[in-house]
Amino acid sequence: MILTINGGSSSIKFALFEVDNSPEKVCYGQLTRVGTTGTRFTVNSDATSLPVTATTYKGAIDFLVEWLEQNITFSDVKAIGHRIVHGMQHTEPSLIDAELLKDLKNIGAYDPDHLPFEILLIEGFKKNHAEISQFACFDTDFHKDMPQVAKLLPIPRRFDRSGIHRYGFHGLSYHYLMQELEHLAGRQIADGRIIITHLGNGASLAAIKHGKSVDTSMGFTPDSGVPMSTRTGDLDPGVAWFMIKSEQLTPKQFNHLISSESGLLGISETSGDMHDLLELEATDIRAAEAVSLFCYQVKKWIGSFAAALGGLDTLIFTGGIGENAPSIRARICEGLGFLGVELNDERNQKNAHFISAANGVSVRVMHTDEEMMIAKLVCDRMDLTTTQKQNTKDIHHA
């Protein structure tokens, strides 16, 4: 068995995979509203969620470890794979040892909304099950070979030498979707000019050509790019300076403002949840403007990425909004006929897999599975580790 852990700032997802020739998911679940009151726990597709008394992230981890110990056989778990959003110089799936854990702690300030919680998860499982190898799977891996021009930030070079450049995120999702696209449509389609829109509470887009990331909307942190549920997306530095100065914000307060109080929530002043905003938009102009801004910005990124790719062959929608909100997909695609994007309204309303009209750009709705991608990467990494150990034994024997 392989256990995967996908820790966010307010949620923890897990999945258990049985491994034979390829991973097969046998159990999954998630904790939501972690770190606040009203934490809930769901398992598999059961619509009934269980209340959790823990009000801290550490308490939620303790709850999850205890539940897993009662419901799975840990002696069968050969590895635990973690989604790590930001790793700076680390990109490839890696065994988590003391040195890697130290590096992650040292860069915690670069991604304060994810890394500290991911480290708590690693340490929580290490405390209770030190005998199980843990692996880090980095969201930045998929984008590591982006062209230099897409990585550079227009700031003094000394910052670039310190590792301050555009990294890109949601890489595990993009990696999984590209594998699925090749499986469904063939290598030729997967090698084409592709834009994937990963639209959920966190949202980003990626421009992909010949199976490689050419550009992506998120940059040095996951707060950049398109407006998100509570994150600003790209922000004029002058606005940041004015906000800090006028409200006398500390760095921590400013980060909370742009990552937890902004985006759709900041504009609507009611909710950062797209489902809520769609219900409110007919009677609340602020909700309507939040929805409109989101669709407008995603549309602009699609246009700019089509230019970077030299055209567009396939457009993919994924994530909670991308997979389940037909009206959002329709508004984003409206006016993109000049790129060859035209939807089949009936299929779009049904959330069908293939939603484009007969001719033109192929528009698809695809379910992403970051946990499956983590399991696959850990399997590959374990095989490599086993091979390396065997090679070392052979050398010593010789």
Side-chain angles (χ1 to χ4, degrees), residues 214-235:
V214 172
D215 206 340
T216 188
S217 58
M218 286 179 171
F220 178 64
T221 74
D223 289 327
S224 56
V226 298
M228 294 167 247
S229 177
T230 61
R231 305 179 211 167
T232 58
D234 285 351
L235 186 68

Side-chain angles (χ1 to χ4, degrees), residues 248-278:
Q248 298 295 300
L249 301 175
T250 65
K252 186 175 181 179
Q253 289 171 329
F254 176 72
N255 181 72
H256 187 271
L257 179 65
I258 64 168
S259 63
S260 302
E261 300 178 38
S262 299
L264 302 182
L265 174 62
I267 297 167
S268 70
E269 297 185 313
T270 52
S271 176
D273 186 278
M274 183 60 75
H275 182 268
D276 295 342
L277 296 175
L278 289 172

